[in-house]
PDB file of all heavy atoms in Angstrom:
ATOM      1  N   GLY A   1     165.306  -7.970  -3.628  1.00  0.00           N
ATOM      2  CA  GLY A   1     165.895  -9.277  -3.824  1.00  0.00           C
ATOM      3  C   GLY A   1     167.390  -9.345  -3.751  1.00  0.00           C
ATOM      4  O   GLY A   1     168.058 -10.375  -3.973  1.00  0.00           O
ATOM      5  N   CYS A   2     168.046  -8.169  -3.486  1.00  0.00           N
ATOM      6  CA  CYS A   2     169.570  -8.099  -3.435  1.00  0.00           C
ATOM      7  C   CYS A   2     169.900  -7.841  -1.946  1.00  0.00           C
ATOM      8  O   CYS A   2     169.268  -7.189  -1.193  1.00  0.00           O
ATOM      9  CB  CYS A   2     170.010  -6.947  -4.246  1.00  0.00           C
ATOM     10  SG  CYS A   2     169.643  -7.127  -5.934  1.00  0.00           S
ATOM     11  N   GLY A   3     171.026  -8.509  -1.578  1.00  0.00           N
ATOM     12  CA  GLY A   3     171.624  -8.332  -0.224  1.00  0.00           C
ATOM     13  C   GLY A   3     172.522  -7.128  -0.069  1.00  0.00           C
ATOM     14  O   GLY A   3     173.314  -6.876  -0.937  1.00  0.00           O
ATOM     15  N   PHE A   4     172.262  -6.386   0.984  1.00  0.00           N
ATOM     16  CA  PHE A   4     173.101  -5.198   1.329  1.00  0.00           C
ATOM     17  C   PHE A   4     173.513  -5.235   2.778  1.00  0.00           C
ATOM     18  O   PHE A   4     172.907  -5.990   3.629  1.00  0.00           O
ATOM     19  CB  PHE A   4     172.238  -3.909   1.102  1.00  0.00           C
ATOM     20  CG  PHE A   4     171.944  -3.642  -0.353  1.00  0.00           C
ATOM     21  CD1 PHE A   4     170.742  -4.137  -0.884  1.00  0.00           C
ATOM     22  CD2 PHE A   4     172.758  -2.876  -1.154  1.00  0.00           C
ATOM     23  CE1 PHE A   4     170.421  -3.910  -2.201  1.00  0.00           C
ATOM     24  CE2 PHE A   4     172.496  -2.645  -2.438  1.00  0.00           C
ATOM     25  CZ  PHE A   4     171.293  -3.189  -2.998  1.00  0.00           C
ATOM     26  N   VAL A   5     174.504  -4.495   3.156  1.00  0.00           N
ATOM     27  CA  VAL A   5     174.889  -4.354   4.582  1.00  0.00           C
ATOM     28  C   VAL A   5     174.715  -2.879   4.928  1.00  0.00           C
ATOM     29  O   VAL A   5     175.148  -2.049   4.277  1.00  0.00           O
ATOM     30  CB  VAL A   5     176.391  -4.745   4.720  1.00  0.00           C
ATOM     31  CG1 VAL A   5     176.803  -4.531   6.186  1.00  0.00           C
ATOM     32  CG2 VAL A   5     176.643  -6.124   4.278  1.00  0.00           C
ATOM     33  N   GLU A   6     173.961  -2.714   5.997  1.00  0.00           N
ATOM     34  CA  GLU A   6     173.749  -1.354   6.522  1.00  0.00           C
ATOM     35  C   GLU A   6     174.660  -1.154   7.748  1.00  0.00           C
ATOM     36  O   GLU A   6     174.548  -1.924   8.692  1.00  0.00           O
ATOM     37  CB  GLU A   6     172.294  -1.171   6.909  1.00  0.00           C
ATOM     38  CG  GLU A   6     171.614  -0.208   5.989  1.00  0.00           C
ATOM     39  CD  GLU A   6     170.177   0.037   6.427  1.00  0.00           C
ATOM     40  OE1 GLU A   6     169.828  -0.102   7.605  1.00  0.00           O
ATOM     41  OE2 GLU A   6     169.418   0.453   5.510  1.00  0.00           O
ATOM     42  N   LEU A   7     175.435  -0.136   7.800  1.00  0.00           N
ATOM     43  CA  LEU A   7     176.252   0.273   8.877  1.00  0.00           C
ATOM     44  C   LEU A   7     175.728   1.621   9.436  1.00  0.00           C
ATOM     45  O   LEU A   7     175.716   2.565   8.654  1.00  0.00           O
ATOM     46  CB  LEU A   7     177.714   0.406   8.427  1.00  0.00           C
ATOM     47  CG  LEU A   7     178.669   0.814   9.458  1.00  0.00           C
ATOM     48  CD1 LEU A   7     178.835  -0.224  10.592  1.00  0.00           C
ATOM     49  CD2 LEU A   7     180.108   1.062   8.797  1.00  0.00           C
ATOM     50  N   THR A   8     175.320   1.593  10.687  1.00  0.00           N
ATOM     51  CA  THR A   8     174.835   2.853  11.271  1.00  0.00           C
ATOM     52  C   THR A   8     175.807   3.316  12.266  1.00  0.00           C
ATOM     53  O   THR A   8     176.188   2.676  13.245  1.00  0.00           O
ATOM     54  CB  THR A   8     173.464   2.555  12.021  1.00  0.00           C
ATOM     55  OG1 THR A   8     172.537   2.005  11.076  1.00  0.00           O
ATOM     56  CG2 THR A   8     172.822   3.861  12.583  1.00  0.00           C
ATOM     57  N   LEU A   9     176.292   4.547  12.030  1.00  0.00           N
ATOM     58  CA  LEU A   9     177.334   5.241  12.802  1.00  0.00           C
ATOM     59  C   LEU A   9     176.727   6.330  13.613  1.00  0.00           C
ATOM     60  O   LEU A   9     175.721   6.965  13.136  1.00  0.00           O
ATOM     61  CB  LEU A   9     178.409   5.859  11.894  1.00  0.00           C
ATOM     62  CG  LEU A   9     179.054   4.800  10.884  1.00  0.00           C
ATOM     63  CD1 LEU A   9     179.829   5.546   9.864  1.00  0.00           C
ATOM     64  CD2 LEU A   9     179.906   3.861  11.654  1.00  0.00           C
ATOM     65  N   PRO A  10     177.293   6.631  14.800  1.00  0.00           N
ATOM     66  CA  PRO A  10     176.776   7.731  15.629  1.00  0.00           C
ATOM     67  C   PRO A  10     176.878   9.090  14.926  1.00  0.00           C
ATOM     68  O   PRO A  10     177.733   9.193  14.045  1.00  0.00           O
ATOM     69  CB  PRO A  10     177.575   7.655  16.903  1.00  0.00           C
ATOM     70  CG  PRO A  10     178.856   6.933  16.516  1.00  0.00           C
ATOM     71  CD  PRO A  10     178.486   6.095  15.368  1.00  0.00           C
ATOM     72  N   ASP A  11     176.128   9.994  15.346  1.00  0.00           N
ATOM     73  CA  ASP A  11     176.193  11.354  14.776  1.00  0.00           C
ATOM     74  C   ASP A  11     177.577  11.885  15.100  1.00  0.00           C
ATOM     75  O   ASP A  11     178.056  11.841  16.210  1.00  0.00           O
ATOM     76  CB  ASP A  11     175.147  12.309  15.485  1.00  0.00           C
ATOM     77  CG  ASP A  11     175.068  13.645  14.869  1.00  0.00           C
ATOM     78  OD1 ASP A  11     175.642  13.850  13.773  1.00  0.00           O
ATOM     79  OD2 ASP A  11     174.465  14.558  15.516  1.00  0.00           O
ATOM     80  N   ALA A  12     178.189  12.413  14.089  1.00  0.00           N
ATOM     81  CA  ALA A  12     179.589  12.880  14.223  1.00  0.00           C
ATOM     82  C   ALA A  12     179.910  13.913  13.211  1.00  0.00           C
ATOM     83  O   ALA A  12     179.002  14.514  12.664  1.00  0.00           O
ATOM     84  CB  ALA A  12     180.569  11.714  14.158  1.00  0.00           C
ATOM     85  N   ASP A  13     181.137  14.088  12.909  1.00  0.00           N
ATOM     86  CA  ASP A  13     181.620  15.106  11.965  1.00  0.00           C
ATOM     87  C   ASP A  13     180.868  14.992  10.610  1.00  0.00           C
ATOM     88  O   ASP A  13     180.912  13.954  10.012  1.00  0.00           O
ATOM     89  CB  ASP A  13     183.178  14.885  11.835  1.00  0.00           C
ATOM     90  CG  ASP A  13     183.784  15.903  10.919  1.00  0.00           C
ATOM     91  OD1 ASP A  13     183.087  16.836  10.367  1.00  0.00           O
ATOM     92  OD2 ASP A  13     184.986  15.899  10.766  1.00  0.00           O
ATOM     93  N   PRO A  14     180.288  16.079  10.108  1.00  0.00           N
ATOM     94  CA  PRO A  14     179.661  16.086   8.859  1.00  0.00           C
ATOM     95  C   PRO A  14     180.630  15.748   7.708  1.00  0.00           C
ATOM     96  O   PRO A  14     180.203  15.290   6.669  1.00  0.00           O
ATOM     97  CB  PRO A  14     179.037  17.517   8.723  1.00  0.00           C
ATOM     98  CG  PRO A  14     179.094  18.063  10.046  1.00  0.00           C
ATOM     99  CD  PRO A  14     180.080  17.378  10.841  1.00  0.00           C
ATOM    100  N   GLN A  15     181.901  15.933   7.953  1.00  0.00           N
ATOM    101  CA  GLN A  15     182.909  15.621   6.940  1.00  0.00           C
ATOM    102  C   GLN A  15     182.918  14.123   6.649  1.00  0.00           C
ATOM    103  O   GLN A  15     183.203  13.680   5.536  1.00  0.00           O
ATOM    104  CB  GLN A  15     184.284  16.088   7.376  1.00  0.00           C
ATOM    105  CG  GLN A  15     185.330  15.960   6.342  1.00  0.00           C
ATOM    106  CD  GLN A  15     185.072  16.758   5.020  1.00  0.00           C
ATOM    107  OE1 GLN A  15     184.608  17.879   5.225  1.00  0.00           O
ATOM    108  NE2 GLN A  15     185.325  16.254   3.910  1.00  0.00           N
ATOM    109  N   GLN A  16     182.552  13.302   7.618  1.00  0.00           N
ATOM    110  CA  GLN A  16     182.496  11.795   7.377  1.00  0.00           C
ATOM    111  C   GLN A  16     181.565  11.520   6.272  1.00  0.00           C
ATOM    112  O   GLN A  16     181.899  10.696   5.399  1.00  0.00           O
ATOM    113  CB  GLN A  16     182.024  11.107   8.672  1.00  0.00           C
ATOM    114  CG  GLN A  16     182.977  11.081   9.767  1.00  0.00           C
ATOM    115  CD  GLN A  16     182.407  10.447  10.975  1.00  0.00           C
ATOM    116  OE1 GLN A  16     181.166  10.262  11.078  1.00  0.00           O
ATOM    117  NE2 GLN A  16     183.225  10.044  11.940  1.00  0.00           N
ATOM    118  N   ARG A  17     180.392  12.077   6.283  1.00  0.00           N
ATOM    119  CA  ARG A  17     179.412  11.749   5.278  1.00  0.00           C
ATOM    120  C   ARG A  17     179.939  12.181   3.913  1.00  0.00           C
ATOM    121  O   ARG A  17     179.888  11.434   2.942  1.00  0.00           O
ATOM    122  CB  ARG A  17     178.036  12.436   5.507  1.00  0.00           C
ATOM    123  CG  ARG A  17     177.027  12.171   4.496  1.00  0.00           C
ATOM    124  CD  ARG A  17     175.738  12.731   4.806  1.00  0.00           C
ATOM    125  NE  ARG A  17     174.697  12.353   3.807  1.00  0.00           N
ATOM    126  CZ  ARG A  17     173.491  12.715   3.878  1.00  0.00           C
ATOM    127  NH1 ARG A  17     173.023  13.449   4.889  1.00  0.00           N
ATOM    128  NH2 ARG A  17     172.609  12.311   2.937  1.00  0.00           N
ATOM    129  N   ARG A  18     180.515  13.342   3.851  1.00  0.00           N
ATOM    130  CA  ARG A  18     181.069  13.814   2.556  1.00  0.00           C
ATOM    131  C   ARG A  18     182.173  12.918   2.014  1.00  0.00           C
ATOM    132  O   ARG A  18     182.227  12.553   0.884  1.00  0.00           O
ATOM    133  CB  ARG A  18     181.529  15.208   2.671  1.00  0.00           C
ATOM    134  CG  ARG A  18     180.410  16.253   2.769  1.00  0.00           C
ATOM    135  CD  ARG A  18     180.897  17.716   2.741  1.00  0.00           C
ATOM    136  NE  ARG A  18     181.579  18.087   3.903  1.00  0.00           N
ATOM    137  CZ  ARG A  18     181.034  18.555   5.000  1.00  0.00           C
ATOM    138  NH1 ARG A  18     179.747  18.678   5.128  1.00  0.00           N
ATOM    139  NH2 ARG A  18     181.762  18.953   6.037  1.00  0.00           N
ATOM    140  N   ASP A  19     183.071  12.486   2.981  1.00  0.00           N
ATOM    141  CA  ASP A  19     184.153  11.604   2.600  1.00  0.00           C
ATOM    142  C   ASP A  19     183.631  10.270   2.080  1.00  0.00           C
ATOM    143  O   ASP A  19     184.124   9.765   1.098  1.00  0.00           O
ATOM    144  CB  ASP A  19     185.115  11.394   3.692  1.00  0.00           C
ATOM    145  CG  ASP A  19     185.900  12.627   4.059  1.00  0.00           C
ATOM    146  OD1 ASP A  19     185.971  13.541   3.227  1.00  0.00           O
ATOM    147  OD2 ASP A  19     186.532  12.687   5.157  1.00  0.00           O
ATOM    148  N   LEU A  20     182.639   9.726   2.811  1.00  0.00           N
ATOM    149  CA  LEU A  20     182.033   8.463   2.471  1.00  0.00           C
ATOM    150  C   LEU A  20     181.303   8.511   1.085  1.00  0.00           C
ATOM    151  O   LEU A  20     181.433   7.563   0.278  1.00  0.00           O
ATOM    152  CB  LEU A  20     181.120   7.936   3.479  1.00  0.00           C
ATOM    153  CG  LEU A  20     181.853   7.316   4.702  1.00  0.00           C
ATOM    154  CD1 LEU A  20     180.809   7.142   5.887  1.00  0.00           C
ATOM    155  CD2 LEU A  20     182.509   6.007   4.392  1.00  0.00           C
ATOM    156  N   GLU A  21     180.591   9.637   0.808  1.00  0.00           N
ATOM    157  CA  GLU A  21     179.886   9.759  -0.421  1.00  0.00           C
ATOM    158  C   GLU A  21     180.797   9.797  -1.584  1.00  0.00           C
ATOM    159  O   GLU A  21     180.439   9.401  -2.677  1.00  0.00           O
ATOM    160  CB  GLU A  21     179.053  11.028  -0.374  1.00  0.00           C
ATOM    161  CG  GLU A  21     177.803  10.882   0.582  1.00  0.00           C
ATOM    162  CD  GLU A  21     177.020  12.183   0.675  1.00  0.00           C
ATOM    163  OE1 GLU A  21     177.575  13.246   0.504  1.00  0.00           O
ATOM    164  OE2 GLU A  21     175.830  12.047   0.968  1.00  0.00           O
ATOM    165  N   ARG A  22     182.052  10.342  -1.408  1.00  0.00           N
ATOM    166  CA  ARG A  22     183.023  10.393  -2.492  1.00  0.00           C
ATOM    167  C   ARG A  22     183.686   8.995  -2.747  1.00  0.00           C
ATOM    168  O   ARG A  22     184.258   8.815  -3.811  1.00  0.00           O
ATOM    169  CB  ARG A  22     184.072  11.419  -2.149  1.00  0.00           C
ATOM    170  CG  ARG A  22     183.610  12.764  -2.352  1.00  0.00           C
ATOM    171  CD  ARG A  22     184.711  13.830  -2.160  1.00  0.00           C
ATOM    172  NE  ARG A  22     184.217  14.800  -1.279  1.00  0.00           N
ATOM    173  CZ  ARG A  22     184.764  15.300  -0.175  1.00  0.00           C
ATOM    174  NH1 ARG A  22     185.987  14.989   0.066  1.00  0.00           N
ATOM    175  NH2 ARG A  22     184.161  16.152   0.590  1.00  0.00           N
ATOM    176  N   SER A  23     183.572   8.144  -1.759  1.00  0.00           N
ATOM    177  CA  SER A  23     184.180   6.803  -1.874  1.00  0.00           C
ATOM    178  C   SER A  23     183.320   5.954  -2.765  1.00  0.00           C
ATOM    179  O   SER A  23     182.017   6.080  -2.770  1.00  0.00           O
ATOM    180  CB  SER A  23     184.227   6.113  -0.514  1.00  0.00           C
ATOM    181  OG  SER A  23     184.914   6.928   0.315  1.00  0.00           O
ATOM    182  N   LYS A  24     183.897   5.039  -3.531  1.00  0.00           N
ATOM    183  CA  LYS A  24     183.103   4.052  -4.285  1.00  0.00           C
ATOM    184  C   LYS A  24     183.020   2.767  -3.566  1.00  0.00           C
ATOM    185  O   LYS A  24     182.115   1.953  -3.829  1.00  0.00           O
ATOM    186  CB  LYS A  24     183.818   3.914  -5.676  1.00  0.00           C
ATOM    187  CG  LYS A  24     183.733   5.175  -6.490  1.00  0.00           C
ATOM    188  CD  LYS A  24     184.250   4.914  -7.869  1.00  0.00           C
ATOM    189  CE  LYS A  24     184.189   6.176  -8.652  1.00  0.00           C
ATOM    190  NZ  LYS A  24     184.313   6.931  -9.408  1.00  0.00           N
TER     191      LYS A  24
END
């Protein structure tokens, strides 16, 4: 029942995921 936005990015640097996970 809650709205979310999903952003799908191409496979790239694994550092991106770590950086995004640290972001609030």
Side-chain angles (χ1 to χ4, degrees):
C2 297
F4 293 90
V5 177
E6 248 184 25
L7 177 64
T8 304
L9 305 168
D11 187 15
D13 183 358
Q15 187 63 38
Q16 286 176 345
R17 182 176 182 179
R18 290 188 288 275
D19 290 345
L20 284 167
E21 285 175 337
R22 283 185 232 135
S23 308
K24 293 186 181 176

